[in-house]
Amino acid sequence: MMNEAELYVMQGRLLEGRRHKAQRGDLLHEPPLGYVRGPDGDDQLDPDEQAQRVVRLICDVFEQQGSLHGVLRYLAAHDIRLPIRPHTGPACGQLEWHRPSRTTLQNLLHHPISAGAYRWGHRLIDPRKQQPGRPQTGRTLIPAESCEVLIKDRFPASISWERFAGIQQRLADNRSIAAA
């Protein structure tokens, strides 16, 4: 019984450590599309200028087309590839050009790092939506402004915060299933 209590206390301490690190903006995961991990351990814009232009182009095309599907069609029609830097494997960190996919575009447009912001606590577990035996269920995404930690101007930005907020609003308006 003491071991169980000790494990519970240790888990609480570990979570608090993660929370404090996140509040400083230092709890970093793999950098998203258009960013690389610098020698100082911080995320920075991809040094490849063509990769930076493609990321800005995606935001521009989204604002023109108004939908993720429109961006995907545009990129496919113009044979534009996405700059990907694998996080594992033999080509780890090397720039590769891949065909665009809906998931990659959605991740790019939803990630606030393009506006230079750091967020933590945007995926919460809703116990009412969890299914027994399925640990990945019950996740809910919350807007960047409602996250537990949001630090604007933490990273170099490709677009302004206002532009990012407009993209988020457009993506939310385009959803076919209303959020509960």
Side-chain angles (χ1 to χ4, degrees):
M1 189 141 140
M2 288 300 287
N3 287 340
E4 288 180 29
E6 198 171 299
L7 285 174
Y8 182 76
V9 169
M10 284 175 49
Q11 282 180 333
R13 286 183 181 165
L14 288 171
L15 180 60
E16 279 303 308
R18 287 174 54 91
R19 182 172 283 123
H20 287 298
K21 194 170 184 178
Q23 288 171 344
R24 293 191 311 265
D26 292 335
L27 186 61
L28 301 176
H29 300 288
E30 297 298 335
L33 184 74
Y35 284 81
V36 295
R37 183 72 34 91
D40 60 352
D42 216 4
D43 292 350
Q44 50 192 261
L45 289 171
D46 196 312
D48 188 278
E49 289 183 24
Q50 187 175 359
Q52 291 179 30
R53 282 197 305 267
V54 168
V55 171
R56 284 192 295 272
L57 175 70
I58 290 169
C59 294
D60 293 342
V61 170
F62 179 80
E63 289 177 334
Q64 292 169 358
Q65 299 289 325
S67 71
L68 207 58
H69 185 70
V71 175
L72 192 58
R73 276 190 322 222
Y74 179 91
L75 296 176
H78 292 86
D79 196 31
I80 298 173
R81 305 236 173 213
L82 300 181
I84 307 290
R85 291 189 184 266
H87 303 302
T88 59
C92 180
Q94 301 299 315
L95 186 62
E96 297 177 352
W97 294 90
H98 292 235
R99 285 181 38 206
S101 71
R102 180 176 298 277
T103 304
T104 306
L105 292 173
Q106 187 171 1
N107 289 340
L108 171 68
L109 291 172
H110 277 294
H111 207 299
I113 195 171
S114 57
Y118 172 85
R119 72 168 175 208
W120 185 78
H122 66 285
R123 285 190 201 133
L124 301 177
I125 302 292
D126 185 354
R128 297 171 297 174
K129 294 182 180 180
Q130 276 189 310
Q131 298 172 5
R134 299 189 61 202
Q136 301 299 321
T137 59
R139 288 186 179 174
T140 57
L141 293 174
I142 61 173
E145 293 83 15
S146 303
C147 291
E148 188 172 335
V149 176
L150 178 65
I151 304 171
K152 295 180 183 175
D153 300 324
R154 168 71 174 83
F155 302 108
S158 304
I159 61 173
S160 69
W161 181 258
E162 292 76 24
R163 190 171 174 197
F164 173 75
I167 289 172
Q168 297 311 299
Q169 185 60 50
R170 188 73 177 258
L171 285 167
D173 293 346
N174 288 349
R175 288 191 61 196
S176 61
I177 300 172

